[in-house]
Amino acid sequence: MTERAPLSRKLSAIAESATLKVDAKAKSLQAAGRPVISYAAGEPDFATPQFIVDAAAEALHDPANFRYTPAAGLPVLREAIVAKTLRDSGLEISPAQVIVTNGGKQAVYQAFQTVVNPGDEVLLPAPYWTTYPEAIALADGVPVEVFAGADQGYKVTVEQLEAARTDKTTVLVFVSPSNPTGAVYTPEETAAIGEWALEHGIWVITDEIYQNLVYEGVRAVSIVEAVPELAGQTLLVNGVAKTYAMTGWRVGWMVGPADAIKLAGNLQSHLSSNVNNIAQRAALAALTGPQDEVEQMRQAFDRRRRLIVEELSKIDGVTVPNPLGAFYVYPDVTGLLGRTWAGVTPTTSLELADFILERAEVAVVPGEAFGPSGYLRLSYALGDEQLLEGIQRLQSLFA
């Protein structure tokens, strides 16, 4: 008998999402009765605002929502995304430049598929969201990490990008506010990077999913607002998941030049067709409805942000840059490595995260998921009491 043909080599090389893996392990331990506190998932703990849920319930009574609709999204939702993009990203577009996707993750995947050719090098500032290098590889591109540590506030410079650029460089990933670090580039830093990309004809994929979650009076200026001429070589990805506590609704979008969006639309027409119409109607309500609850959630995140930074900073060996966006803190924990704690001497942040889960029953994501070792990502999108208790467990563990 002939041996079965092999599985896909490309997919076999793709790793499982590290953040989802840690979160799943934490939930499994919780289900087994262990009092695990998880800082792993990038998911608001709030319920989706009721007016959004009501819009979805109303949509269930319209039979038109039970049918196929345009693969690129409901026209009325694309119009709302046009308005949001102008309001928050300073970019004037038409509905033809918008595709509604199954969450921001599909938008990220399609963006790389649209502008990356085999062998192209994609500059990937690190620390980075764990999905980016895998999505680049799926597009047959080559991720080139450009690392900025805590001493730089986790923000890369034009000089670093230029040093990494080769004749194969065609794309730059730009994320502000950042997952995993919460870093927000200043308008001047954003403009400098945008002008550099424009000068060298490099595509920019900018993930703006956290653009409305900023603190201390900071505004996340879009790279296409800082450098309007860059719009012809920029793809913006976004969605309702984080701002509106709608992670499970799976509605995102991508925006860009008409020719690029046409290619992405052709891909989506074969890949998934239209996004669930009920969820699209809910997203429409989110973008066009009252924003009071969004602001209340942002204020709660801000309160938790200040608390977690203050409390983590009390641990000797932990350095905590102040995050100005998203809902993550990304401490440098190299000061804890190589030291013995309860008979264990962790030498990497992966070993440290395992030690913390086992001894303190606290789940964190190690820096290896986002780039170099020596860091931990903690999401503060969880209840205030759990947030404080988990950090107090860490303080006791490393006392």
Side-chain angles (χ1 to χ4, degrees):
M1 180 182 294
T2 303
E3 185 178 351
R4 187 187 74 172
L7 294 169
S8 165
R9 287 186 293 273
K10 181 185 291 188
L11 295 191
S12 296
I14 299 300
E16 177 185 1
S17 167
T19 53
L20 295 181
K21 182 177 182 179
V22 173
D23 187 54
K25 183 175 182 179
K27 288 176 178 175
S28 175
L29 291 171
Q30 290 167 345
R34 291 183 62 177
V36 171
I37 293 176
S38 178
Y39 297 89
E43 181 171 45
D45 61 310
F46 303 106
T48 302
Q50 189 59 45
F51 76 92
I52 299 173
V53 177
D54 291 342
E58 184 178 347
L60 286 168
H61 298 287
D62 184 354
N65 291 319
F66 309 157
R67 305 287 182 248
Y68 290 127
T69 54
L74 294 173
V76 67
L77 177 54
R78 294 166 80 189
E79 289 279 5
I81 292 169
V82 166
K84 186 221 171 358
T85 303
L86 178 60
R87 179 177 67 247
D88 292 340
S89 301
L91 179 63
E92 188 171 352
I93 57 171
S94 71
Q97 293 175 258
V98 178
I99 296 178
V100 180
T101 60
N102 289 282
K105 191 169 285 191
Q106 183 178 353
V108 168
Y109 170 83
Q110 290 182 175
F112 288 117
Q113 292 290 329
T114 299
V115 298
V116 175
N117 286 295
D120 284 354
E121 292 181 353
V122 179
L123 297 185
L124 181 60
Y128 49 75
W129 180 43
T130 184
T131 290
Y132 295 138
E134 309 295 4
I136 293 167
L138 285 169
D140 296 318
V142 180
V144 177
E145 295 182 24
V146 182
F147 178 71
D151 58 324
Q152 294 180 221
Y154 302 121
K155 296 185 288 186
V156 299
T157 64
V158 168
E159 291 73 24
Q160 286 179 289
L161 294 173
E162 178 59 24
R165 184 176 65 88
T166 73
D167 57 3
K168 294 183 179 180
T169 302
T170 62
V171 182
L172 165 70
V173 179
F174 183 75
V175 188
S176 177
S178 163
N179 173 6
T181 68
V184 180
Y185 286 79
T186 67
E188 295 76 18
E189 291 166 341
T190 301
I193 291 173
E195 288 165 358
W196 172 85
L198 182 67
E199 176 187 355
H200 296 291
I202 294 171
W203 278 95
V204 176
I205 295 176
T206 181
D207 189 338
E208 300 187 339
I209 193 84
Y210 295 100
Q211 71 181 166
N212 298 121
L213 293 173
V214 287
Y215 316 105
E216 299 186 22
V218 165
R219 179 169 176 265
V221 174
S222 175
I223 199 165
V224 290
E225 182 175 356
V227 185
E229 301 87 352
L230 195 63
Q233 60 198 64
T234 301
L235 297 176
L236 299 81
V237 300
N238 210 324
V240 294
K242 313 298 184 177
T243 302
Y244 297 96
M246 294 179 67
T247 52
W249 295 79
R250 310 312 303 141
V251 182
W253 59 83
M254 59 185 297
V255 167
D259 55 348
I261 293 300
K262 178 66 167 64
L263 294 187
N266 291 345
L267 170 61
Q268 184 160 313
S269 72
H270 295 291
L271 179 68
S272 62
S273 220
N274 67 276
V275 172
N276 179 296
N277 291 316
I278 307 303
Q280 287 195 71
R281 292 289 177 182
L284 174 63
L287 294 181
T288 59
Q291 303 297 301
D292 309 52
E293 290 178 75
V294 167
E295 175 58 17
Q296 291 169 12
M297 288 189 281
R298 191 196 67 82
Q299 290 179 13
F301 288 139
D302 188 19
R303 181 181 67 250
R304 297 168 181 179
R305 177 186 68 92
R306 287 181 271 112
L307 175 64
I308 196 170
V309 169
E310 179 182 357
E311 294 301 320
L312 278 175
S313 298
K314 294 177 181 178
I315 301 174
D316 180 42
V318 176
T319 300
V320 192
N322 185 35
L324 294 176
F327 39 63
Y328 307 103
V329 64
Y330 201 71
D332 180 332
V333 293
T334 52
L336 297 178
L337 303 180
R339 297 165 65 181
T340 301
W341 309 97
V344 177
T345 308
T347 59
T348 66
S349 49
L350 181 61
E351 293 175 358
L352 184 67
D354 286 340
F355 172 70
I356 289 171
L357 181 58
E358 180 60 33
R359 297 302 177 94
E361 297 185 311
V362 169
V364 296
V365 186
E368 285 85 346
F370 312 106
S373 179
Y375 305 84
L376 299 175
R377 191 194 80 169
L378 292 81
S379 168
Y380 49 86
L382 71 164
D384 293 49
E385 291 185 9
Q386 276 201 320
L387 178 77
L388 182 58
E389 181 184 342
I391 301 304
Q392 288 173 338
R393 292 183 191 179
L394 297 184
Q395 290 171 342
S396 297
L397 183 63
F398 297 113

